[in-house]
Amino acid sequence: MIEVSRTVPVPPGAVFDVVADGWSFAGWVVGSCHIRDVDESWPAVGSHIHHSIGAWPLQLKDTTVVRAVEPGVSLELEARGGALGTAKIVLTLVPQGSDETVVRLAESVTGGAGGLLPKTVQALVLAPRNKESLARLEALAVGRHRRAGTGPAT
C-alpha cells in the first residue's frame, strides 16, 4: 500500500465527523466529484457513496463501499472505478495529545487497468493525490471544528 500522513490540529472525532458525512466526500477526495447518492447508514459497513470521478465531461460513475469502520479511529473503503480498477483505502486516525491527530491514508489498486501499473508508477500518482486529499480533509475538519465552537479561531 502507498501511505501518506498529515498531522491536523483537531482531535480524531473532528476528522471523523467529516469522513462520516458522505456528502462531503467530493470536497476532500481528489478526483471525486458529483455525489449522486449516499446511503443513510454511511459510514456503516456495507454502506455506499455513489459518485463520479474525473473532470467533466469525461466522468466515470464510481461507487465506494465501507469494508470496515471503527468510529473515530479508522475506516476501510473499497472504491470501484469500473475499468480503471478497484482500490483499497484505509484511513487511520491517531490522537496526538488532546487536540491533534495524525491522519494516515493508505491506498492500493487491487484490480482493473490501474492494477497493471507497477507500484512505483502507482506511487507517483497516488502519493501526491492523497497528500492533497489530506490537506483538504484538514481544512474541512478545522473549519467544522472552529464553527462548532470547539477549536481555536485562528
Side-chain angles (χ1 to χ4, degrees):
M1 293 191 93
I2 295 146
E3 183 177 305
V4 297
S5 65
R6 183 178 187 97
T7 301
V8 299
V10 296
V15 178
F16 197 81
D17 286 348
V18 176
V19 174
D21 175 5
W23 291 100
S24 75
F25 193 75
W28 66 274
V29 177
V30 173
S32 178
C33 60
H34 186 81
I35 304 298
R36 298 186 313 277
D37 193 23
V38 178
D39 290 355
E40 286 187 33
S41 60
W42 180 268
V45 173
S47 61
H48 293 77
I49 292 178
H50 306 272
H51 57 96
S52 298
I53 57 173
W56 185 89
L58 304 173
Q59 294 178 347
L60 298 172
K61 289 184 177 181
D62 189 9
T63 303
T64 297
V65 62
V66 176
R67 292 295 178 210
V69 63
E70 188 174 344
V73 177
S74 64
L75 183 68
E76 182 180 320
L77 305 171
E78 179 181 274
R80 302 173 185 159
L84 292 178
T86 303
K88 177 181 177 180
I89 301 125
V90 179
L91 186 74
T92 307
L93 309 175
V94 180
Q96 296 293 300
S98 62
D99 60 353
E100 284 190 338
T101 305
V102 174
V103 183
R104 293 189 182 113
L105 180 59
E107 182 173 4
S108 79
V109 180
T110 57
L116 299 174
L117 296 172
K119 295 293 181 200
T120 54
V121 175
Q122 289 181 31
L124 290 172
V125 175
L126 294 177
R129 172 184 166 262
N130 290 343
K131 284 180 184 179
E132 176 60 22
S133 291
L134 290 184
R136 293 177 185 191
L137 179 58
E138 175 182 358
L140 289 171
V142 168
R144 286 182 183 205
H145 193 61
R146 197 177 293 151
R147 220 176 29 245
T150 53
T154 56

